[in-house]
Structures are given as structure tokens and as C-alpha cells.
């Protein structure tokens, strides 16, 4: 098979595969629920891409930007390739569900100067009513790639792109105010793909399995474009399918014989916590050679827990592949050799706080996982972010890089490009005219291995999702009238298991003696959870005019964070509900016993169980929870909602409708729905005997069956709430 380096453009690689191996499986999509899987050979992919490219050529869109708005990955892929074939710069983004999600889509459309949107009939029907509310989106020309009778392959005139041409824009910001689109060229992708192939040990016999969405750089470049370029068969599972029952990920690896799969650290943690011994005994993970772990901090405890848990299923700890990268470096920047034990080392915790990486003796220590060495011809420096002086060994600084995988900068954003992509280090032995990318991440090198310790940029990474503090602060300051405008700071702290979000907010002078602090905190949690799908672990209400600011009035978030850790803030009231990755463990009634309880008593027991579970998840008091209280009011983030659903499924012995959980019910409503579903389980067969229907679905891979009409709506709503995630 040809390597990535032998191609000039991404679409050339796909066309070459279609000519040389037309019937070879390119991608198989497991569609979730009872829907049949769909498969693309290289010939089928090429035909669909040509048809879409013909439509785009007919509309003279070459050189323009086009949003890619699809609910389903199997629709996204031909649309994305059609853009590449036609020389249109695609902009992958999850489609809007409602008015709440429109501002981010509109901001990206405006930043990209998008003149078109490739999508499906279902997506357009869903958002049509909201389009006119935004001037940018109202002017976009819609191209529906699943409309009947649109075969225009004959209108495609052939390859026109070059290697240094822009391929697509990868938007990296979760902010609606200042979205930044990394300009990724064909050369960038082909270089990075070649690096991945060498470091992962990929060849024609490798097989990829993923549930990562194609709107994220790890999913798009690492798990879609790279396999297509390499000629590796790919199995794709919807994120919702994995995250509702994590065992499906490992079952898919077993059934597909995948050699490579992975995701952020939380995915491994979820599997280690949720998969039962019985499920584990049926897995065969012996084919899994590369289990990459990136996009958020890699935790030594998670690697240990997962490795021990699934060793009996054939998983080898040497398969773990901690890595580091970002959209601005196309994808992979650093990684170790494949099939080698990850590097885990203990460092003195106090020294790390002082910016020094010193091996731990007998004091407090922190286990850090190395992310390997810079790949191939990518170079890395550790630089003092303020003085731009190259740091000596063992000193923590900002990670800078340069090389062929570094992208051109941000589309139509000269200021941000200059700030991030045009840095010049002081004291480096490299060419003084050479420009470096400032990653915004802090770390150090030890024996040539790169260790990540935190962030220099003001961005919070929680459960793999980027949150920009100014967005959260804007939400906080309008959550309650007692809060001071321009008087809040959002930041994160690492509790050793997870990144926890902290909000410090000033109370107005006229309100701090009269407004109940508990009400203010509850409103803050509710507003942030609703707007950002993010749980605020700690809310600190401050005395007026005590938030740290510069002389020009800018919030000093890092200083505020340090004062919080030192317990030196001027606090009026503080409340902490820590977010945990560990699912609730409360058990009051065995699964089998629920059916034997009278209905009125059963509903009350379910309410009690829900209250205790929610109190455990939020470190609250179950006696303070009311049945009429909305679950969203507790400030749960999206992943905690998921944990609640998984817990209820396990407790009551069936899989309940996800859609109901996403309607944000009260505790009493949720208990009523669960009780009604349990009551409906007993039916009478034609012989007159009582029969209990099995409600927990079969977890077997790719179960055939007729399409479920609610699948698209549930999956889209789930993805919108749970997987703004990783973007």
C-alpha cells in the first residue's frame, strides 16, 4: 500500500484507493439503535464525492467556505470529500438544534465567511424556522446532499488542488465571541498522517475503530482521514452509542479485530467503572495494539485501573499510547514508540507549584504521564511565556513548536495568528527568523520525554471540552441580579482525579447583606449548566471590589486561582459540590425486587433512590431535595446527566428512553416515567400467561433491524447536549 507521503492531496489518496482497490472496505458505520449499518467501499466513496463535487462546481463554489452540518457521520463523510474534490474549504461543525446553539454556528459562519452549507433534508427542516433570526445564516446557500436525483458526477472536471492549498478550516474555540479557524492544508494532513503511521506502526493490515465525532480534530484527522489515506478499514460508532453503554466500544474492537482505537482519558475511566465482570469475560482485546489517549490530561491512575481491569480480556498495558497535539499542529505533536510501556514518573508536588520538575523523594508527589517525544521533524522548545527565554532543563514553561505539521494560522484573524504562530524565542540556537507556534500549554522535557503540567492560556478543559472563561463569566454575571457585572472569574483546579470548575463572583454592594447566598449559588450553577453543559464544582461569593484585577480593569484569573488555592480570597460565602467521574454506587433495592413492590410504594421508593443518588453526585443532602425540583437546577453537567441515566438503567434493569432525560424533568416526573415503564413490562400472551418483556437491549454489535424513526432526533439531541464536547 502507498504511504501518505506519496500523495499530493487528500482527495488524490482517496481516488487512488478507488482505482487500485475499488471493492476494499473504507468505512463501516454502526448507526446505533436498531438501524442497519452502512458501509462504503473506496469506489462508492469516490462516486458520491464526485457527485457532490459536481453540484458544488455547478454552483461555482470553488475557493469558497462551506459549513458541513450533518447529524450523521455517514452523511458527513461524502460531503466533506465532495468539498475536497471541488476545491471548496469545508468547515466541520455540529448542526444547531435550537436557538440556544445558533450563536456559535452563526459566529463560525461569520468568521469563515461561509457562503454555503452542505447538509441533509432533515437538518434543514429542523433549523429552517430559526435561520431567519440570524443575518449571517439567512444568507447561506444550502446544498442538500441527500436530496433525490442530485447525481452530478459528470459535472466534476477532475483534480485541481495542490499540496499547499487550504483543505479545510478546523474551528478550535468553544467561544461564540472569538471563534478561531485553524487553516489546515493538504500538506499538513499528509505529513501528520505519515507521522501517525510511523509512530503507531500502521500498515495495510491495521484496522481502526472509533466513536469520536468527525467535527473534532482527533476524530476527523486521526480517525477518518488517516485511515482513508492509509487504506485501513474503519469502523465508526456514534458517540451516543458508546457513552450510553461503554462496553459497546470494547465489543466493537473485539468484533472488528481493531488494532487501533482510543479517545480522551475519560473514556478509559468510564469503561473501567461501568463494564461488569460478565461483560468483560466476553471481550477479546488481543488485537488492540495502539490505545491512544489524548485531548485532555492523561492520568496514571486511569491507565493502571483500565490495564488491570481488562488484562483478563487480552488487553496489554504496552498498547497504551499517551500522546499530545492540537488542531494548530494538525493533530499529533508528540508520542512515544508503539507497543512500549508508557512513561509514568513521580514529581515533587510543591516543586511543581514553583515551576520546577524535581523527582519526588518522600514528600507529597504527583504522578505525571509522559506524552512521548516530538514526532519526526517537528521541534519543541520549553519557553518562559512572559520573557520568551528558553527554559533550562527541569523548569516548567510554555511549549512552543515548529515544523511541517504546524498550520498556517487562523483564518481571517491576523491578530490571533501573530500572537500564536509568529513567536520568536530568546536564547534558542535555531534560526532567529524562524517563527514558532505558542501552544498555550505548560510542561517540561525530562530525558527527552514531554510532560504536560497545565495551561498558560485562559481556557478550561473539562471532560475533554474547551470552555472559555469569559463565556462562563458572562453567563454567571447575568444569572442573578445580586452579582456584579464584570466582577467574576472562572478557572479550573485539578483535584487529582478530575478538572473541577470554580467560579468566584463579587456581590453588589447594595445586595450582599440582603440576598440569600444559597439562592445566588443555585442560580449560578443552573445558568452555567444550561448554557455550557458544565458543572460548577465550587461557587465563591466575594465581597464587593475584591476580585483581583489589573490596573486597567482586566480580571486576573490566574492570580484569583492562586488566591483561591491559598484560601486568601475575601469570601462571603462558598459552596462546593464536587464533580466526580465515578458513577453513583447507592443501592437500596435489588434490581429484581422493583417488580414486586406495589406501584404506589414503588414510585416513592424510586423518588427516594433518585434523591440519594443525586445527593451523592453533588455532595448534597437528600433531605434538601424536593420532588418538584428540576434536575437541571442542581447544576449537573451533561456527563453527570449521563451518569444518572446509566445508574437508573442499571438500578431498574432496563434501558430507559434517553429523550426523557434530556427534557430536564423534575425528580418526581422522572420517577413517574420510570414507574410507568416498569408497570408496562408485564403483559399477557395469547395463552393467558403473564410474560415479562426484556427491556435491556441486546448489546451485540451491528444488530439488524428496521430503522427507528426516533433515532435521528434522539442522537442529534444527545450529541448537541453531550458533545459540544471535544470541540
Amino acid at each position: 500500500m502507498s504511504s501518505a507521503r506519496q500523495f499530493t492531496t487528500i482527495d488524490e489518496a482517496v481516488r487512488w484507493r478507488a482505482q487500485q482497490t475499488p471493492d476494499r472496505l473504507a468505512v463501516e458505520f454502526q448507526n446505533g439503535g436498531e438501524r442497519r449499518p452502512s458501509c462504503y467501499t473506496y469506489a462508492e466513496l469516490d462516486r458520491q464525492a464526485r457527485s457532490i463535487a459536481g453540484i458544488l462546481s455547478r454552483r461555482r463554489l470553488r475557493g469558497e467556505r462551506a459549513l458541513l452540518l450533518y447529524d450523521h457521520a455517514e452523511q458527513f463523510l461524502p460531503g466533506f470529500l465532495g468539498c475536497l474534490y471541488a476545491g471548496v474549504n469545508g468547515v466541520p461543525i455540529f448542526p444547531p438544534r435550537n436557538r440556544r446553539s445558533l450563536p456559535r454556528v452563526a459566529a463560525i459562519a461569520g468568521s469563515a465567511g461561509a457562503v454555503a452549507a452542505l447538509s441533509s433534508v432533515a437538518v434543514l427542516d429542523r433549523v429552517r424556522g430559526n435561520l431567519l433570526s440570524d443575518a449571517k445564516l439567512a444568507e447561506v446557500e444550502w446544498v442538500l446532499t441527500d436530496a433525490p436525483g442530485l447525481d452530478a458526477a459528470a459535472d466534476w472536471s477532475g483534480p485541481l488542488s495542490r499540496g499547499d492549498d487550504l483543505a479545510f478550516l478546523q474551528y478550535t474555540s468553544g467561544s461564540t465571541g472569538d471563534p478561531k479557524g485553524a487553516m489546515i492544508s493538504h500538506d499538513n494532513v499528509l505529513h501528520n498522517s505519515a507521522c501517525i503511521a510511523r509512530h503507531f506502526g500502521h500498515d495495510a493490515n491495521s484496522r481502526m475503530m472509533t466513536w469520536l465525532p468527525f467535527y473534532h480534530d482527533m476524530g476527523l484527522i486521526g480517525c477518518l482521514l488517516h485511515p482513508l489515506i492509509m487504506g485501513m478499514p474503519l469502523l465508526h460508532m456514534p458517540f451516543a452509542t458508546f457513552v450510553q453503554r461503554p462496553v459497546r466500544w470494547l465489543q466493537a474492537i473485539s468484533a472488528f479485530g481493531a488494532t487501533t482505537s482510543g479517545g480522551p482519558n475519560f473514556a478509559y475511566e468510564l469503561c473501567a467503572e461501568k463494564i461488569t465482570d460478565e461483560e468483560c469475560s466476553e471481550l477479546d482485546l488481543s488485537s488492540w495494539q495502539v490505545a491512544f489517549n489524548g485531548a485532555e490530561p492523561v492520568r496514571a491512575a486511569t491507565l493502571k485501573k483500565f490495564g488491570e481491569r481488562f488484562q483478563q480480556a487480552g488487553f496489554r498495558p504496552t498498547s497504551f499510547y499517551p500522546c499530545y497535539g492540537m488542531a494548530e499542529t494538525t493533530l499529533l505533536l508528540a508520542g512515544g514508540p508503539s507497543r512500549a510501556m508508557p512513561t509514568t514518573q513521580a514529581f515533587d508536588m510543591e516543586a511543581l507549584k514553583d515551576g520546577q520538575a524535581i523527582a519526588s523523594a518522600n514528600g507529597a508527589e504527583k504522578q505525571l504521564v509522559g506524552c512521548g517525544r516530538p514526532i519526526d521533524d517537528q521541534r519543541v522548545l520549553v519557553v518562559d511565556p512572559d520573557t520568551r527565554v528558553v527554559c533550562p532543563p527541569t523548569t516548567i514553561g510554555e511549549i512552543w513548536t515548529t515544523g511541517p505539521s504546524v498550520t498556517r494560522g487562523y483564518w481571517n484573524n491576523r491578530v490571533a495568528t501573530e500572537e500564536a504562530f509568529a513567536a520568536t524565542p530568546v536564547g534558542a540556537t535555531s534560526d532567529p527568523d524562524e517563527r514558532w507556534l505558542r501552544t498555550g500549554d505548560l510542561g517540561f522535557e525530562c530525558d527527552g520525554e514531554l510532560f504536560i503540567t497545565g495551561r498558560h492560556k485562559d481556557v478550561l478543559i473539562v471532560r475533554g471540552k474547551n470552555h472559555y472563561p469569559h463565556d462562563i463569566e458572562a453567563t454567571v454575571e447575568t444569572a442573578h441580579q445580586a452579582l456584579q457585572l464584570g466582577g467574576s472569574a472562572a478557572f479550573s483546579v485539578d483535584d487529582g482525579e478530575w478538572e473541577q470548575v470554580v467560579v468566584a463572583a463579587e456581590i453588589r454592594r447594595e445586595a450582599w447583606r440582603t440576598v440569600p447566598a444559597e439562592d445566588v449559588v443555585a442560580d449560578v450553577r443552573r445558568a452555567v449548566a444550561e448554557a455550557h453543559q458544565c458543572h460548577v464544582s465550587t461557587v465563591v461569593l466575594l465581597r464587593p471590589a475584591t476580585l483581583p484585577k489589573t490596573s486597567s480593569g482586566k480580571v486576573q484569573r490566574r492570580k484569583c486561582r492562586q488566591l483561591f488555592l491559598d484560601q486568601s480570597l475575601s469570601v462571603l460565602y462558598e459552596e462546593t459540590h464536587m464533580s466526580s467521574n465515578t458513577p453513583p454506587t447507592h443501592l437500596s433495592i435489588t434490581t429484581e425486587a422493583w417488580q414486586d413492590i406495589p406501584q404506589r410504594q414503588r414510585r416513592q421508593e424510586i423518588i427516594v433512590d433518585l434523591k440519594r443518588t443525586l445527593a451523592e453526585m453533588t455532595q448534597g443532602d437528600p433531605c434538601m431535595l424536593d420532588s418538584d425540583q428540576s434536575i437541571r437546577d442542581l447544576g449537573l453537567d451533561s456527563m453527570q446527566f449521563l451518569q444518572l441515566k446509566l445508574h437508573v438503567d442499571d438500578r431498574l434493569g432496563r434501558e430507559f428512553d434517553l429523550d426523557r432525560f434530556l427534557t430536564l424533568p423534575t425528580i418526581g416526573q422522572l420517577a413517574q416515567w420510570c414507574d410507568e415503564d416498569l408497570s408496562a413490562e408485564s403483559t399477557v400472551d395469547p395463552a393467558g400467561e403473564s410474560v415479562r418483556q426484556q427491556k435491556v437491549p441486546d448489546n451485540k454489535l451491528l444488530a439488524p433491524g428496521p430503522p427507528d424513526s426516533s433515532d435521528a432526533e434522539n442522537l442529534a439531541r444527545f450529541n448537541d447536549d453531550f458533545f459540544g464536547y471535544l470541540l
Side-chain angles (χ1 to χ4, degrees):
M1 289 278 175
S2 177
S3 71
R5 290 281 194 155
Q6 293 175 291
F7 299 116
T8 303
T9 63
I10 304 165
D11 48 299
E12 179 191 342
V14 177
R15 294 195 306 273
W16 189 89
R17 300 286 174 199
Q19 293 168 0
Q20 300 298 315
T21 56
D23 298 326
R24 183 177 176 83
L25 174 67
V27 189
E28 178 177 343
F29 292 100
Q30 183 183 345
N31 294 316
E34 297 298 318
R35 300 175 62 207
R36 293 183 182 276
S38 55
C39 300
Y40 287 120
T41 64
Y42 279 95
E44 290 166 339
L45 266 185
D46 179 65
R47 179 184 60 78
Q48 290 209 27
R50 287 170 182 266
S51 179
I52 293 171
I55 298 170
L56 300 178
S57 298
R58 186 186 299 164
R59 301 192 185 193
R60 299 184 178 182
L61 293 175
R62 176 171 174 76
E64 301 287 357
R65 273 74 56 211
L67 305 179
L68 294 161
L69 300 167
Y70 292 98
D71 283 334
H72 300 296
E74 66 267 29
Q75 296 174 327
F76 169 90
L77 175 54
F80 181 86
L81 291 179
C83 285
L84 292 179
Y85 275 46
V88 174
N89 305 139
V91 184
I93 181 173
F94 193 78
R97 290 292 314 151
N98 46 40
R99 288 186 181 274
R100 187 191 70 188
S101 53
L102 272 178
R104 181 171 186 267
V105 177
I108 291 176
S111 169
V115 300
L118 275 66
S119 191
S120 65
V121 174
V123 169
L124 181 58
D125 286 346
R126 186 175 69 236
V127 303
R128 191 188 304 272
N130 291 326
L131 290 178
L132 295 179
S133 65
D134 186 273
K136 297 184 184 69
L137 294 179
E139 295 175 358
V140 166
E141 179 182 0
W142 285 74
V143 181
L144 304 182
T145 58
D146 65 342
L150 290 182
D151 190 350
D155 293 340
W156 182 71
S157 58
L160 297 170
S161 299
R162 301 177 305 180
D164 60 354
D165 284 344
L166 179 64
F168 59 96
L169 299 181
Q170 182 73 58
Y171 273 81
T172 62
S173 171
S175 169
T176 60
D178 185 28
K180 295 188 288 292
M183 297 186 287
I184 300 178
S185 70
H186 291 271
D187 282 343
N188 289 148
V189 174
L190 294 173
H191 174 265
N192 210 256
S193 179
C195 293
I196 293 171
R198 281 190 291 276
H199 286 260
F200 283 23
H202 284 164
D203 57 28
N205 296 317
S206 302
R207 298 171 72 83
M208 177 80 76
M209 187 275 148
T210 188
W211 44 263
L212 291 165
F214 295 155
Y215 311 97
H216 177 249
D217 56 343
M218 183 186 286
L220 175 58
I221 298 166
C223 297
L224 175 63
L225 299 184
H226 171 65
L228 288 177
I229 292 166
M230 290 294 298
M232 295 166 47
L234 167 66
L235 173 65
H236 181 272
M237 170 186 291
F239 170 72
T241 300
F242 152 65
V243 79
Q244 287 188 82
R245 301 195 75 82
V247 70
R248 291 170 176 159
W249 176 25
L250 304 191
Q251 287 174 335
I253 292 172
S254 299
F256 194 62
T259 62
T260 300
S261 190
N265 193 82
F266 86 88
Y268 295 95
E269 187 74 29
L270 197 60
C271 286
E273 291 289 346
K274 291 300 299 179
I275 295 176
T276 66
D277 290 340
E278 182 181 359
E279 290 170 333
C280 186
S281 67
E282 298 175 352
L283 297 173
D284 178 8
L285 304 178
S286 59
S287 66
W288 200 357
Q289 298 172 1
V290 180
F292 58 85
N293 186 330
E296 64 179 354
V298 181
R299 301 188 181 274
T302 300
L303 301 186
K304 184 175 185 294
K305 186 189 303 184
F306 187 95
E308 292 175 349
R309 184 77 179 82
F310 296 103
Q311 187 173 6
Q312 61 176 301
F315 182 81
R316 298 175 296 277
T318 53
S319 297
F320 278 127
Y321 194 90
C323 50
Y324 169 68
M326 63 200 70
E328 289 85 347
T329 62
T330 305
L331 183 59
L332 186 64
L333 173 56
S338 62
R339 302 165 183 81
M341 285 297 294
T343 300
T344 302
Q345 191 167 339
F347 294 92
D348 184 272
M349 189 174 294
E350 292 303 315
L352 288 174
K353 292 179 182 179
D354 293 333
Q356 298 296 317
I358 301 173
S360 175
N362 298 319
E365 65 179 35
K366 183 172 184 177
Q367 293 280 342
L368 295 179
V369 179
C371 292
R373 299 170 182 267
I375 57 171
D376 297 352
D377 41 2
Q378 288 290 133
R379 288 178 292 151
V380 163
L381 291 176
V382 178
V383 180
D384 184 297
D386 298 318
T387 66
R388 302 195 176 201
V389 173
V390 177
C391 294
T394 75
T395 298
I396 296 171
E398 185 181 15
I399 298 166
W400 291 17
T401 184
T402 187
S405 278
V406 174
T407 60
R408 300 177 181 180
Y410 298 120
W411 175 264
N412 200 27
N413 195 331
R414 184 180 57 82
V415 173
T417 297
E418 285 292 318
E419 290 177 352
F421 288 85
T424 303
V426 177
T429 57
S430 62
D431 182 346
D433 295 327
E434 194 168 36
R435 295 297 181 258
W436 293 70
L437 167 68
R438 301 185 63 167
T439 68
D441 291 313
L442 299 176
F444 61 92
E445 287 187 283
C446 181
D447 297 328
E449 184 111 3
L450 190 62
F451 289 82
I452 312 300
T453 60
R455 301 283 292 173
H456 177 61
K457 291 189 295 188
D458 284 334
V459 62
L460 290 65
I461 303 179
V462 184
R463 304 188 193 273
K465 180 180 179 180
N466 286 354
H467 294 281
Y468 288 77
H470 54 270
D471 288 339
I472 293 178
E473 291 156 6
T475 300
V476 167
E477 291 161 14
T478 57
H480 196 285
Q481 61 184 4
L483 294 173
Q484 179 65 48
L485 294 178
S488 66
F491 51 88
S492 65
V493 296
D494 191 335
D495 69 353
E497 177 189 9
W498 211 251
E499 287 291 314
Q500 307 287 351
V501 175
V502 179
V503 167
E506 293 176 347
I507 294 290
R508 293 178 183 270
R509 292 187 184 278
E510 64 272 19
W512 70 282
R513 294 183 183 276
T514 58
V515 176
E518 297 89 344
D519 293 350
V520 178
V521 169
D523 285 349
V524 166
R525 282 208 170 90
R526 182 186 308 115
V528 174
E530 176 67 26
H532 306 283
Q533 295 77 59
C534 175
H535 174 72
V536 178
S537 298
T538 300
V539 180
V540 183
L541 301 183
L542 304 177
R543 294 180 182 275
T546 61
L547 186 75
K549 293 184 179 180
T550 66
S551 58
S552 62
K554 293 183 179 179
V555 175
Q556 294 178 298
R557 298 187 184 97
R558 271 172 279 168
K559 183 176 181 179
C560 187
R561 180 181 183 275
Q562 191 58 52
L563 290 173
F564 169 78
L565 293 173
D566 295 339
Q567 298 182 340
S568 300
L569 289 170
S570 185
V571 178
L572 287 171
Y573 181 83
E574 180 175 327
E575 183 179 290
T576 298
H577 290 169
M578 299 298 281
S579 171
S580 173
N581 192 47
T582 304
T585 57
H586 165 68
L587 298 174
S588 61
I589 300 175
T590 63
T591 299
E592 294 77 12
W594 287 106
Q595 292 283 353
D596 301 325
I597 301 175
Q599 185 173 7
R600 181 175 299 178
Q601 179 186 346
R602 181 173 62 199
R603 185 171 301 181
Q604 194 58 40
E605 289 285 353
I606 294 174
I607 290 175
V608 170
D609 193 82
L610 285 172
K611 287 182 178 181
R612 291 177 179 173
T613 299
L614 288 165
E616 181 179 342
M617 294 176 72
T618 60
Q619 295 188 348
D621 183 352
C623 297
M624 299 300 293
L625 298 178
D626 189 270
S627 298
D628 295 330
Q629 185 171 19
S630 169
I631 295 175
R632 178 66 91 185
D633 288 353
L634 299 177
L636 269 65
D637 66 17
S638 300
M639 284 301 293
Q640 288 177 306
F641 257 96
L642 172 66
Q643 293 284 19
L644 176 65
K645 180 191 181 300
L646 294 176
H647 172 73
V648 172
D649 289 349
D650 290 344
R651 292 287 296 107
L652 302 183
R654 59 158 296 161
E655 185 169 320
F656 289 92
D657 183 10
L658 174 64
D659 190 50
R660 285 184 167 181
F661 280 77
L662 297 181
T663 59
L664 315 182
T666 64
I667 294 173
Q669 286 173 327
L670 184 57
Q672 177 182 343
W673 293 337
C674 292
D675 178 58
E676 289 173 350
D677 281 353
L678 286 170
S679 299
E681 281 198 355
S682 295
T683 61
V684 178
D685 70 4
E689 298 181 2
S690 179
V691 177
R692 178 169 296 166
Q693 298 174 345
Q694 179 63 32
K695 294 291 184 180
V696 178
D698 186 358
N699 286 331
K700 290 183 180 178
L701 192 66
L702 308 180
D708 184 343
S709 61
S710 66
D711 273 355
E713 178 67 20
N714 284 341
L715 177 59
R717 184 179 299 184
F718 186 91
N719 270 321
D720 185 46
D721 245 20
F722 287 80
F723 219 78
Y725 219 74
L726 286 180
L727 292 178

